[in-house]
Amino acid sequence: MFRNQYDTDVTTWSPQGRLFQVEYAMEAVKQGSCAVGLKSDTVVVLATLKRAESELSSFQRKVFKVDDHMGIAIAGLMADGRSLVKYMRNEVLNHKYIYESDMPTGRLVRQIADKSQACTQRSWKRPYGVGLLVGGYDSTGAHLYQTCPSGNYYEYKAMAIGARAQAAKTYLEKHYEAFPKANMEEMIKHGLRCIQASLQEGDLTALNSSIAIVGKDMPFTLLEGDTLQPYLDALKEEDQPMAVEEEAAEVAAPAAEGGDAMVADAAAPAAEGGDAAEGEQPGAAPMES
């Protein structure tokens, strides 16, 4: 994706009407580990995979609390994400000080989108290389938004961003119709299954995953380590019978094919004998009177 003529400046348009540095920033989001968001009528769940630079380092945190009624999950450059989190926390505090109420989720997302857009039309700035999934619950209900380095933002029922996000999106597309009436435990399991589908190698553990919940009468809560382990154990118990059934089906398939072959082999001589008997009948001697 290298362009050496029109990508030297964020304000330079290509003849095709593209801003390559903005597109490069969007590619940086795809390089980050997967982050998933899904919402029901009363709760929003954010699920993330955490990466470690090496076996000697700790995992990077990818879920952040903005306020008691709002939180974010990020994919892309962690430093840019921390900068935006600081800005969001300041805006929420200012709104609460002036209006004595929680800041609506959509209003804060629009401010983040405006801040990101400003970086796409000033030559002395660069676009943010991070995508956000913003989940919150306010007076209008549960909301889930995605922001983009281009300055665009969208509201979703469920969304996944980051590396191998397509596998998680496929799962969400199959099950999103059940989300509105699902309870908190079911939503957490759906979130874990999504990030499990995006794993490239290894198993999903309490060390490399995290879950955040926010909803009606439920302040922002982060599940990591020992608090997340019971949900992972329950998920394995549910998946184990399915794995056994799949193995049984794989074993039964060759056996069924072998049985069909034996039946066919046994039927072939019988059919040949029947044909021979039919062949002798026309040549039988006539009965004497």
Side-chain angles (χ1 to χ4, degrees):
M1 196 176 177
F2 179 75
R3 305 287 190 279
N4 59 4
Q5 189 173 2
Y6 299 105
D7 65 352
T8 57
D9 195 338
V10 72
T11 60
T12 301
W13 291 94
S14 75
Q16 292 80 24
R18 299 166 64 181
L19 293 172
F20 286 112
Q21 284 202 9
V22 176
E23 295 183 14
Y24 297 163
M26 296 168 67
E27 286 296 318
V29 177
K30 297 179 182 179
Q31 301 302 318
S33 56
C34 185
V36 175
L38 54 158
K39 70 169 186 174
S40 67
D41 291 339
T42 58
V43 68
V44 180
V45 172
L46 302 174
T48 61
L49 279 175
K50 297 186 291 185
R51 281 181 179 171
E53 293 297 325
S54 69
E55 294 181 357
L56 302 178
S57 67
S58 61
F59 289 91
Q60 287 185 322
R61 186 178 177 188
K62 292 174 55 70
V63 180
F64 298 91
K65 176 182 177 180
V66 177
D67 198 6
D68 287 339
H69 72 293
M70 192 187 312
I72 67 169
I74 69 174
L77 296 181
M78 296 291 297
D80 287 3
R82 290 195 303 270
S83 175
L84 290 177
V85 169
K86 182 178 179 180
Y87 170 80
M88 295 173 75
R89 288 171 175 168
N90 288 333
E91 291 300 309
V92 167
L93 287 174
N94 291 337
H95 185 280
K96 187 174 292 187
Y97 178 78
I98 295 172
Y99 299 103
E100 297 183 354
S101 63
D102 293 335
M103 188 173 189
T105 308
R107 182 179 300 177
L108 181 58
V109 170
R110 283 193 296 271
Q111 290 183 211
I112 289 294
D114 292 342
K115 188 177 177 67
S116 299
Q117 191 276 335
C119 295
T120 67
Q121 60 177 154
R122 289 177 170 81
S123 59
W124 63 90
K125 292 187 176 183
R126 66 162 176 82
Y128 288 102
V130 65
L132 307 182
L133 290 177
V134 185
Y137 190 92
D138 52 32
S139 59
T140 59
H143 299 281
L144 175 67
Y145 293 91
Q146 179 213 353
T147 68
C148 181
S150 64
N152 291 323
Y153 69 95
Y154 310 91
E155 185 171 7
Y156 285 94
K157 299 176 181 177
M159 184 56 182
I161 58 176
R164 297 176 61 85
Q166 187 56 50
K169 289 179 183 178
T170 301
Y171 179 90
L172 292 172
E173 290 169 357
K174 291 180 179 179
H175 298 88
Y176 78 95
E177 293 179 352
F179 293 167
K181 303 302 180 182
N183 57 36
M184 185 187 70
E185 287 76 13
E186 292 172 345
M187 294 296 286
I188 291 174
K189 290 178 182 178
H190 282 303
L192 290 173
R193 286 196 175 97
C194 283
I195 58 176
Q196 187 176 34
S198 66
L199 271 175
Q200 188 171 6
E201 58 184 10
D203 297 325
L204 191 67
T205 67
L207 293 177
N208 64 4
S209 60
S210 59
I211 294 284
I213 315 161
V214 62
K216 184 178 181 181
D217 300 325
M218 182 186 302
F220 183 89
T221 304
L222 183 63
L223 302 179
E224 289 182 319
D226 295 338
T227 57
L228 182 60
Q229 190 60 48
Y231 294 99
L232 292 171
D233 294 339
L235 193 66
K236 290 180 180 179
E237 291 178 1
E238 291 182 4
D239 293 342
Q240 188 172 4
M242 296 176 61
V244 172
E245 291 178 1
E246 291 177 358
E247 292 179 0
E250 292 177 358
V251 172
E257 293 176 0
D260 293 340
M262 292 178 62
V263 171
D265 293 340
E272 292 175 358
D275 294 341
E278 291 178 359
E280 294 174 356
Q281 185 174 358
M287 294 180 62
E288 296 181 359
S289 57

